[in-house]
Amino acid sequence: MQAAVSSASSLGLTAHNAAVLHNSNALTLRLEPCAVLARVAPAANQCAQLEVDVARRLAELGSPVAALESPEVFIRGDYVVTFWTYYEPATTQSLSNAEYVGALERLHAGMRKVDLPVPHFTDRVSAAQTLVADHARTPELVDSDRVFLASTLDRMRRAVSESGRPEQLLHGEPHPGNLLSTRTGPLFIDFETCCRGPVEFDLAHAPDDVGDHYPGVDRRLLRDCRTLMLAMITTWRWDRGDQFPDGHRLGVEWLSELRHAVAQSG
């Protein structure tokens, strides 16, 4: 919070208070009275500059993304801070599937025009595989679950990589938590997970009805991507340093779901 307030002051913003909106891998704050949103993350292994560059380029293309309050990335000690426009939640009902699909289509169309160096989706899979193999970082993961996660990650990675589908810049995690319903329409946020891969990898993070109605989707690949995504997020929950709310319970629950998904796929 001190890093956010200090950085805001250097921009000429008045920030006396900071309300926590979300706290996981990054801390999201609403600064008052300037009503600006600040994102604060550990400086180590941060992707703030990439996130800012992607969001700025997409905004220039008219894509449905949240606007930056400042293009500058601030380093304050062990933290990195970025500033974004704060949007009051829309008072209407939640987004329909058609609105979600339309917003994601427009986002992907804009992303096809953005040429920035980003990780490949397999880099994220590799990070999950490394975590599974590291007993010190995943001490509560029993051997049978460890073997199951490792084999599922490997098999699904190969299935998606060898699909032959076109690849492009992706959001990485366009789930409902990263889509704001605002008075100006749906806007995507949080581009720190941007990567390159088939659009089905993105669709695996969206609600099922959204992925199933996205034009031109490869349904077999989407199923494989959903299994891969579930294996990855399950792995993160077993990291002893994971700060996701109620993470351990979800890790247990998602392992069960993953076993069911793998059994269903044959």
Side-chain angles (χ1 to χ4, degrees):
M1 289 185 179
Q2 290 177 341
V5 171
S6 171
S7 300
S9 297
S10 68
L11 280 176
L13 299 172
T14 302
H16 300 311
N17 300 302
V20 177
L21 301 182
H22 186 70
N23 182 19
S24 58
N25 59 318
L27 183 65
T28 303
L29 306 167
R30 179 180 177 175
L31 303 182
E32 295 292 355
C34 62
V36 168
L37 188 141
R39 281 175 53 82
V40 186
N45 303 320
Q46 58 84 20
C47 302
Q49 189 62 59
L50 172 63
E51 182 178 21
V52 165
D53 290 344
V54 170
R56 180 171 52 186
R57 184 73 184 96
L58 287 172
E60 292 170 353
L61 293 167
S63 298
V65 299
L68 286 159
E69 193 70 25
S70 168
E72 190 172 353
V73 175
F74 295 85
I75 304 295
R76 292 288 186 269
D78 295 331
Y79 300 100
V80 60
V81 185
T82 53
F83 293 97
W84 306 78
T85 298
Y86 176 78
Y87 296 89
E88 290 288 350
T91 56
T92 57
Q93 61 185 9
S94 59
L95 290 175
S96 68
N97 289 330
E99 290 174 311
Y100 204 132
V101 170
L104 194 50
E105 276 192 278
R106 290 193 292 125
L107 179 71
H108 285 156
M111 285 184 148
R112 284 193 286 274
K113 300 176 183 178
V114 176
D115 184 18
L116 289 171
V118 298
H120 194 258
F121 83 91
T122 53
D123 293 342
R124 292 174 60 187
V125 183
S126 295
Q129 290 175 305
T130 299
L131 182 59
V132 167
D134 191 337
H135 290 246
R137 291 179 61 193
T138 53
E140 295 186 43
L141 193 59
V142 300
D143 289 345
S144 59
D145 291 337
R146 191 182 303 277
V147 170
F148 169 68
L149 276 174
S151 63
T152 302
L153 286 165
D154 180 64
R155 184 163 61 88
M156 291 297 100
R157 170 181 174 159
R158 285 186 283 106
V160 177
S161 298
E162 297 169 5
S163 69
R165 289 281 283 175
E167 297 187 349
Q168 67 161 80
L169 179 65
L170 303 173
H171 180 286
E173 292 184 359
H175 54 68
N178 284 334
L179 181 60
L180 301 178
S181 178
T182 75
R183 294 166 184 168
T184 58
L187 299 175
F188 284 95
I189 60 172
D190 293 2
F191 294 92
E192 62 183 359
T193 54
C194 279
C195 59
R196 186 164 294 278
V199 293
E200 285 80 4
F201 185 80
D202 254 6
L203 296 176
H205 294 78
D208 288 351
D209 285 341
V210 171
D212 291 339
H213 290 88
Y214 191 94
V217 66
D218 183 319
R219 296 190 179 278
R220 180 182 180 87
L221 178 57
L222 177 57
R223 184 195 67 190
D224 289 343
C225 285
R226 283 171 172 163
T227 303
L228 176 60
M229 179 273 293
L230 183 55
M232 291 169 62
I233 63 173
T234 299
T235 298
W236 307 139
R237 302 293 75 82
W238 291 94
D239 185 346
R240 68 177 183 183
D242 182 47
Q243 297 185 35
F244 197 86
D246 207 12
H248 181 73
R249 181 189 63 80
L250 290 173
V252 174
E253 180 180 315
W254 290 347
L255 258 175
S256 178
E257 290 183 18
L258 182 60
R259 288 188 183 278
H260 179 72
V262 169
Q264 289 291 102
S265 67

